[in-house]
Amino acid sequence: CPCRIEFFWVGCVYGRNNDAERFGFFCHAALEFLLQSGFHPDIIHCHDWSSAPVAWLFKENYVHYGLSKAQVVFTIHNLEFGAHFIAKAMKYSDKATTVSPTYAREVAGNPAVSPNLHKFHGIINGIDPDIWDPYNDNFIPVPYTSENVVEGKRAAKQALQERLGLKRADLPLVGIITRLTHQKGIHLIKHAIWRTLERGGQVVLLGSAPDPRIQNDFQNLANQLHSSHSDQARLCLSYDEPLSHLIYAGADFILVPSIFEPCGLTQLTAMRYGSIPVVRKTGGLYDTVFDVDHDKDRAQAQGLEPNGFSFDGADAGGVDYALNRAISAWYEGRDWFNSLCKRVMEQDWSWNRPALDYLELYHAARKSAS
Ligand code: ADP
């Protein structure tokens, strides 16, 4: 049936029991469109399991139908989902990438990746600096750049405290914006909430859990904190993009204690808003966050100054190590802390650099074809 709107008009993108069939159809349609429209692309770039079928549909069929000019590039965003499809696309593609150099190393031994290491590269993701722009953002009270970051963030923190019913006070505020899944380090998130409260700080968590048991668990924690620490902590268990802007702007720290993280956008957005990332050293978090006490040389090798706090390990001691240093730095040296906020805002985590890496990869793909 050519009329398959009921396939996609289902109120969600993923998570139906016919995802493979729906996305397979979509991949076919995309290739058929390219063929019928007479457009002859040089590169067809597919992402993750959902467009993986393009790689083999192209090489087995469409290349013979007349789309012969194209080279297929395939990018892994998260190997946890659809590994079988990803493995097959890796085999059929001409070049493959994933979203950070460190994640590329971490997954190099995975059977989906290891036979294809010769064509596999890590290129960091970027954020859109127009969508995430504290100087032009309808969801925050005072527009700011690195020049007036202190005033801008102070106003945003007050607005956030007011909106969520927290005490309006000058306290270190830790923000957490995340899917609540194992990947994101749930036990570390919970521990960090309690540690921050113990240190006299405030915590705002914005997150939602696809697993109802985890959602329920956090709902209980939210209720508990609402009665025991109502002026210090608020857990918002929904998906709310406008609120995320206010948290990025109003927080002093954004915590990302992921167990694994292919790239991670949260820490990059945090820095765009002058919030200091506190992260676990994994995947793209390792490649973008440089600890103020330990990573000066590693940052310098990238032409950067250190920009955050990080930790190894996946236990409470690890997260404490980074969080305690972060909160102490806030209490003990506000001038230093404010200059750190200014510094992270001036770092460029947009697509400017990664786009050049992709261009180079596309040129290499074309060259290897000719
Ligand atoms: P992942 O794709 O694994 O969830 P990323 O760090 O790559 O992690 O991207 C997460 C994005 O989703 C970020 O832009 C973050 O701001 C946003 N986000 C996550 N949870 C929420 C939420 N509950 N409400 C609003 N935005 C959210």
Side-chain angles (χ1 to χ4, degrees), residues 46-53 74-79 81 86 89:
C46 319
H47 298 265
D48 263 353
W49 66 266
S50 45
S51 59
F74 181 71
T75 295
I76 300 175
H77 291 254
N78 193 335
L79 198 46
F81 306 113
I86 289 177

Side-chain angles (χ1 to χ4, degrees), residues 54-339:
V54 165
W56 60 87
L57 289 173
F58 175 79
K59 294 286 179 185
E60 284 179 346
N61 302 312
Y62 281 82
V63 76
H64 308 299
Y65 302 164
L67 282 181
S68 53
K69 232 178 111 189
Q71 295 286 293
V72 175
V73 177
F74 181 71
T75 295
I76 300 175
H77 291 254
N78 193 335
L79 198 46
E80 194 171 60
F81 306 113
H84 173 69
F85 274 31
I86 289 177
K88 192 165 170 187
M90 288 293 288
K91 180 166 158 240
Y92 278 85
S93 57
D94 298 295
K95 296 275 182 200
T97 71
T98 189
V99 291
S100 70
T102 296
Y103 189 63
R105 281 194 295 279
E106 289 168 353
V107 298
N110 187 290
V113 175
S114 53
N116 304 289
L117 283 182
H118 59 284
K119 59 182 172 191
F120 189 53
H121 306 264
I123 300 178
I124 199 81
N125 276 340
I127 54 167
D128 185 329
D130 297 329
I131 292 176
W132 301 106
D133 180 2
Y135 191 65
N136 185 11
D137 186 324
N138 291 330
F139 304 119
I140 66 173
V142 171
Y144 64 95
T145 64
S146 64
E147 292 302 313
N148 61 336
V149 53
V150 175
E151 293 75 21
K153 288 185 73 68
R154 189 188 300 130
K157 184 188 280 189
Q158 286 174 357
L160 182 63
Q161 289 167 331
E162 199 160 295
R163 170 160 169 185
L164 299 182
L166 298 172
K167 185 174 173 189
R168 272 189 69 161
D170 187 27
L171 298 169
L173 195 153
V174 176
I176 304 161
I177 300 169
T178 187
R179 286 187 294 123
L180 292 166
T181 61
H182 167 75
Q183 175 188 341
K184 304 297 179 176
I186 283 177
H187 62 296
L188 301 177
I189 290 173
K190 285 187 187 166
H191 179 81
I193 292 172
W194 292 110
R195 174 65 67 236
T196 305
L197 297 178
E198 222 172 80
R199 299 275 329 253
Q202 292 182 322
V203 183
V204 172
L205 178 146
L206 173 62
S208 58
D211 178 342
R213 283 167 307 184
I214 298 178
Q215 182 80 9
N216 201 26
D217 184 34
F218 270 86
Q219 191 57 60
N220 289 336
L221 180 60
N223 297 342
Q224 182 187 352
L225 288 168
H226 204 79
S227 47
S228 66
H229 293 80
S230 72
D231 55 1
Q232 263 184 294
R234 196 67 75 240
L235 273 49
C236 306
L237 301 177
S238 60
Y239 189 91
D240 187 338
E241 199 173 325
L243 179 57
S244 79
H245 286 241
L246 188 58
I247 299 172
Y248 282 122
D252 297 294
F253 304 102
I254 294 287
L255 175 74
V256 196
S258 304
I259 301 306
F260 71 94
E261 193 59 79
C263 174
L265 298 175
T266 333
Q267 80 281 12
L268 305 181
T269 309
M271 291 192 270
R272 176 88 174 127
Y273 282 75
S275 295
I276 306 306
V278 179
V279 308
R280 186 166 174 274
K281 285 187 183 172
T282 184
L285 298 170
Y286 179 81
D287 291 332
T288 56
V289 177
F290 302 90
D291 190 284
V292 294
D293 292 320
H294 302 298
D295 291 330
K296 201 164 191 326
D297 293 344
R298 200 166 64 84
Q300 212 158 39
Q302 304 284 320
L304 294 168
E305 293 277 317
N307 55 11
F309 297 87
S310 58
F311 64 97
D312 284 307
D315 55 9
V319 75
D320 276 349
Y321 176 65
L323 194 59
N324 277 328
R325 283 184 297 128
I327 293 176
S328 297
W330 189 96
Y331 280 123
E332 289 159 18
R334 291 301 286 283
D335 288 346
W336 179 84
F337 182 80
N338 290 340
S339 68

